[in-house]
Amino acid sequence: MDVRADYPLDNLNTLRLPARAQWYAEPASTEALVALLREPRWRGVPRTVLGGGSNLVLAGDISGLVIRPMMRGLRELPGGLLEVQAGEEWDSVVARSIEAGWQGLENLSLIPGSAGAAPVQNIGAYGVELCHHLAGLEAVSLQNGQIHHFTAEQCDFGYRESRFKSAEPGQWLITRLQLRLNRAPVLQLGYADLSERFAALPESGRNAAGLRQVICQLRREKLPDPAALPNAGSFFKNPVVEAAHWAALRERFPAIVGYPQADGRVKLAAGWLIEQAGWKGRRHGPLGMHERQALVLVNHGGASGATVLAFAEAVRESVQTMFQVQLEQEPVTLGSPGQALQARRSSPAGPPGAPGGDIITNA
Ligand SMILES: Cc1cc2nc3c(=O)[nH]c(=O)nc-3n(C[C@H](O)[C@H](O)[C@H](O)COP(=O)(O)OP(=O)(O)OC[C@H]3O[C@@H](n4cnc5c(N)ncnc54)[C@H](O)[C@@H]3O)c2cc1C
């Protein structure tokens, strides 16, 4: 398979941050992936997975082998399961599943990125999370190329969390998902703006396809399109605080937004906290928090990974000072600042050096 050297990643991340991969490959099948991982020449070389780049801060160049899975296909399995290959675009999976008469994914419409990355942070929107519909998945060990099946329980899903993001980051490449969907409608309308718009649809349109349309409309109104204004969606998770902390905050800030959790704690709206701390629409050089959605960090052009991280730290500090709440970054940071690829023209493990973007192996 083709492996390219010194490959530019600038157009492969939605924040449009400049970075390069030391080596870069796009396996189009699990067999090709396993063969690549087991090639002696890549022994000991670090491996990093890249999807659609929509949940990333590229802090600098990535040394080692960057692998972007490109396996494609959707197929129905017995027992109401839909199998989806990792390289499929997530939103196209949602659209095609609805067209094929399946229900359940409509609330996850228009989330950018690949299907393979969807379990990594257990994507969620409008009251639905991927884990509500994931029966299991197949992943390949990046260390030894062994194929492993995980049940949904084994994925340790939580709010924007899974074993692939927290406990074992960078250890697995997810190759395919098995989704459990419904044939009968079970529409999730638990958000005011959603239910109002849905109710306004003609009766014949009040189905999964209609709900998808409403969600796409709402998201287009609320979120900046990364193609027009580079961003990585919500930059911070909604923090969860203890009940006593919540009570104290409510006393000081009566308008604070919070959602009680089953364990007695309260989830706060990070966007509200950031807005109150004065960051909504504020800009420093090329970076800012979006004027309509304070939770979205945007790159107006020319930012680097290091400046994104410094800017985010300033936002985090002011929220901490004002509310004593620690914000946690949602996108994954990859690459290292200042880590110019020393091996741009040479290799630690055998592949011959080559000028930027050239194919260096064609096994
Ligand atoms: C405008 C916008 C709106 C968004 N809205 C939402 C939203 O509503 N809800 C939500 O949850 N997220 C949202 N996101 C975040 C993002 O779309 C999701 O996290 C998405 O799943 C990331 O997919 P990706 O393919 O782009 O992954 P990448 O950004 O390429 O990678 C993210 C992480 O997953 C790893 N990874 C990628 N592919 C694989 C794989 N096949 N196997 C193992 N690891 C892998 C990477 O190594 C990295 O650690 C939004 C982003 C944007 C830009």
Side-chain angles (χ1 to χ4, degrees):
M1 86 167 315
D2 295 350
V3 177
R4 292 173 180 267
D6 194 18
Y7 195 78
L9 302 176
D10 312 27
N11 293 330
L12 296 180
N13 71 101
T14 61
L15 263 170
R16 291 285 177 129
L17 299 174
R20 303 181 83 83
Q22 187 176 12
W23 316 108
Y24 176 85
E26 294 187 342
S29 69
T30 302
E31 295 70 31
L33 167 70
V34 169
L36 173 75
L37 293 172
R38 290 185 175 165
E39 259 188 73
R41 72 177 77 196
W42 300 114
R43 193 169 296 143
V45 174
R47 291 112 194 249
T48 303
V49 186
L50 180 71
S54 64
N55 207 30
L56 290 183
V57 177
L58 293 182
D61 294 336
I62 304 181
S63 38
L65 190 55
V66 172
I67 305 172
R68 186 166 185 225
M70 298 299 272
M71 312 80 178
R72 293 289 158 99
L74 256 67
R75 76 180 169 129
E76 220 172 300
L77 301 177
L81 293 178
L82 185 66
E83 185 179 76
V84 178
Q85 302 283 328
E88 287 291 340
E89 190 201 4
W90 174 257
D91 189 53
S92 145
V93 172
V94 177
R96 282 145 72 196
S97 70
I98 294 172
E99 274 161 29
W102 294 99
Q103 325 250 344
L105 301 182
E106 46 284 350
N107 293 43
L108 302 178
S109 290
L110 223 58
I111 297 182
S114 59
V120 174
Q121 76 154 7
N122 182 25
I123 56 168
Y126 292 101
V128 174
E129 294 183 340
L130 180 80
C131 66
H132 300 151
H133 293 285
L134 190 96
L137 59 82
E138 181 191 89
V140 171
S141 161
L142 287 168
Q143 273 75 49
N144 58 25
Q146 266 181 11
I147 298 174
H148 193 82
H149 184 84
F150 292 92
T151 62
E153 292 68 37
Q154 290 170 330
C155 295
D156 296 336
F157 288 124
Y159 163 63
R160 301 294 183 272
E161 273 305 338
S162 74
R163 75 186 292 161
F164 309 105
K165 189 168 182 185
S166 293
E168 297 171 357
Q171 290 193 35
W172 299 96
L173 188 152
I174 297 164
T175 44
R176 65 184 91 189
L177 321 181
Q178 287 94 34
L179 301 172
R180 190 176 297 288
L181 302 175
N182 315 306
R183 283 294 183 190
V186 193
L187 302 177
Q188 300 291 333
L189 300 166
Y191 281 71
D193 44 359
L194 200 62
S195 54
E196 279 160 26
R197 290 213 193 180
F198 187 75
L201 292 176
E203 200 175 338
S204 60
R206 283 184 227 142
N207 50 30
L211 183 52
R212 169 171 164 79
Q213 254 181 29
V214 167
I215 285 175
C216 290
Q217 215 178 49
L218 279 169
R219 291 182 66 100
R220 287 194 180 106
E221 286 169 17
K222 288 185 176 174
L223 291 168
D225 175 2
L229 184 54
N231 71 84
S234 304
F235 200 83
F236 298 102
K237 293 184 186 184
N238 288 321
V240 181
V241 297
E242 299 299 328
H245 192 170
W246 164 244
L249 285 171
R250 250 179 91 171
E251 205 154 291
R252 281 180 57 214
F253 307 98
I256 193 166
V257 185
Y259 307 93
Q261 303 295 289
D263 61 4
R265 297 187 304 158
V266 178
K267 189 188 275 182
L268 307 179
W272 190 89
L273 303 177
I274 293 167
E275 184 175 349
Q276 299 306 305
W279 288 95
K280 190 175 186 181
R282 194 156 135 199
R283 195 171 155 172
H284 276 286
L287 292 165
M289 300 311 284
H290 192 248
E291 61 202 12
R292 271 179 290 130
Q293 180 46 273
L295 194 47
V296 178
L297 184 154
V298 292
N299 174 10
H300 292 279
S304 67
T307 57
V308 167
L309 295 175
F311 181 79
E313 187 52 34
V315 174
R316 212 192 329 251
E317 267 174 24
S318 43
V319 167
Q320 169 74 39
T321 305
M322 190 163 173
F323 299 101
Q324 294 76 54
V325 171
Q326 187 76 40
L327 290 181
E328 191 186 335
Q329 182 178 311
E330 183 180 303
V332 175
T333 300
L334 294 180
S336 309
Q339 186 183 359
L341 295 179
Q342 291 163 356
R344 224 163 232 177
R345 301 285 180 267
S346 65
S347 151
D358 280 4
I359 296 170
I360 53 113
T361 79
N362 209 338

